[in-house]
Structure formats: structure tokens, C-alpha cells
Amino acid sequence: MRPARPEDKYALEVMIQARSDWMAKRQLPNWHSWGRHVQALASNCSGRFGDMWVLTENGDRIVGCTTILTTAAPWVWTGSEASDSAVYLNATVTDPAERHRKLGTLIAHWAVDHAARKNISYVRRDCTSPALAAYYEQQQFTLVRTVSAPGGCSSYALERRAQRITELKKWLSHGRRGQVSAAMGITQPTISPARRTFAYV
């Protein structure tokens, strides 16, 4: 993982568009929104909206991204929670061609470790899809609340306490097979037969 740079914008647009197309083909929730905001999401690499990070491999090819915010969504998190030491994951996207490798889970675990290294207490995220909320729970995030909004749409607020994941740096640096400590409840993504090496910052 490394901080995104302005010159990453085109590669990010390609990846985010591919994800939007993949979602549209399967008629997944929110695919319209993703499709309309490809360029805006990719523009996060300029630092205009939070702190964007990218997951890269083999010659700096971008295979995932996430944006770390320090401001809570007021319609999901209370004023008291907003004053907590916390960061908020936003717009995590991975290359749909690599979905079998569970790169979104890898990014989530990196964020938990990154927050701990910054002495931040919580990593939080919210979404409007119950299936996505369930996926985040598989990543050891805890559902804090479900907020109902006008029109029948619900938002799901989840959090996970930050912690150091000592195995993560070694795994990212060497691209090895295997599983991260089961005691932490982390399932490591499957690696294809070709050796792949991720960059770690």
C-alpha cells in the first residue's frame, strides 16, 4: 500500500469503471452511483477528499484503493462517536478480475494495522447494502447500528478496533501463500500460481 498520486488518476478510472461495469452486469445495488462517479472517485488521488491509498503489485500496477477520512458521516455516527479517535474507510475499490484474491479484505486489514500505527483507536465504515455489511462483518468489523432513512433505504455503521497485525507486512512484502494468524480471525487472500509481490508502505 502506498499513498495515491495525481498521476494514478487514469489507472484508477480504468479500475473503478471495471468495477462499476462488473456490478452493473450483476445488477448489484448502487452500480448506477458508481458509474456516475468514476472520475470523482479517481480524483481522490489528488488529495482533494481525504487520504487515498492504493494497493499495487508487480511494477506498481494498481489493483485496489481506499480513501481514509477523519470526519464521520453525521447521519450514521453520533456526535459522541464523531469525537472518538477514529478513521473512516470510504470508496474501497478492487480490480474485479482479481476478486477471488479477496483484496478488499486485505485492504481492510491493512487499514486496521495502519490506524494502530498512527495511535488511532477505531476503523469505521458505513454502507447501504446489507450484503456488504455482512461482508464487512466477515472482516471482523462489528455492526454498531442500522439507521433507517426516508424512502426505505438503510445505512449500516460498522467499526473495528485498531490493532497491529504483525504478519501483514511480511506477507505483503513477499507475496507468500498461507494464512495469517487464525487467532486474529483473518483469512488471507488466495494467491494465484504466479508469484505476486505487493508494495508495502
Side-chain angles (χ1 to χ4, degrees):
M1 293 290 288
R2 64 162 174 80
R5 302 185 289 253
E7 56 266 32
D8 294 326
K9 187 172 185 291
Y10 177 73
L12 286 164
E13 286 178 355
V14 170
M15 182 184 68
I16 296 168
Q17 185 64 61
R19 172 58 71 173
S20 174
D21 293 343
W22 181 86
M23 292 174 69
K25 185 176 180 179
R26 289 157 181 78
Q27 292 294 301
L28 297 179
N30 298 328
W31 71 266
H32 286 96
S33 178
W34 281 91
R36 287 196 304 269
H37 297 99
V38 170
Q39 292 188 356
L41 291 169
S43 293
N44 288 347
C45 66
S46 66
R48 67 175 188 85
F49 181 66
D51 187 13
M52 189 183 212
W53 291 75
V54 293
L55 177 64
T56 68
E57 66 173 6
N58 296 348
D60 212 32
R61 184 174 78 93
I62 294 174
V63 292
C65 66
T66 196
T67 299
I68 298 176
L69 306 178
T70 56
T71 304
W75 57 89
V76 178
W77 302 97
T78 67
S80 174
E81 290 165 340
S83 67
D84 291 341
S85 171
V87 292
Y88 301 83
L89 292 188
N90 182 266
T92 299
V93 185
T94 59
D95 185 341
E98 305 292 344
R99 63 189 179 279
H100 60 285
R101 297 168 62 194
K102 301 186 185 298
L103 299 182
T105 297
L106 179 59
I107 290 173
H109 297 325
W110 168 85
V112 167
D113 180 82
H114 178 73
R117 287 188 284 125
K118 299 291 186 180
N119 294 315
I120 294 168
S121 300
Y122 294 98
V123 177
R124 291 172 172 162
R125 59 201 319 177
D126 55 79
C127 63
T128 57
S129 165
L132 193 55
Y135 174 59
Y136 292 156
E137 287 184 291
Q138 292 175 15
Q139 298 173 354
Q140 307 303 309
F141 283 80
T142 299
L143 181 64
V144 176
R145 70 177 58 84
T146 301
V147 179
S148 296
C153 182
S154 296
S155 291
Y156 302 87
L158 302 99
E159 70 179 13
R160 180 174 170 182
R161 183 170 287 279
Q163 67 180 95
R164 292 304 310 273
I165 302 176
T166 56
E167 297 91 341
L168 190 62
K169 183 173 182 178
K170 181 178 179 182
W171 187 85
L172 285 169
S173 297
H174 299 288
R176 292 178 178 171
R177 290 176 177 269
Q179 292 204 346
V180 181
S181 174
M184 290 186 182
I186 298 170
T187 302
Q188 184 162 322
T190 301
I191 304 301
S192 67
R195 178 185 174 92
R196 287 188 169 141
T197 303
F198 294 107
Y200 183 89
V201 177

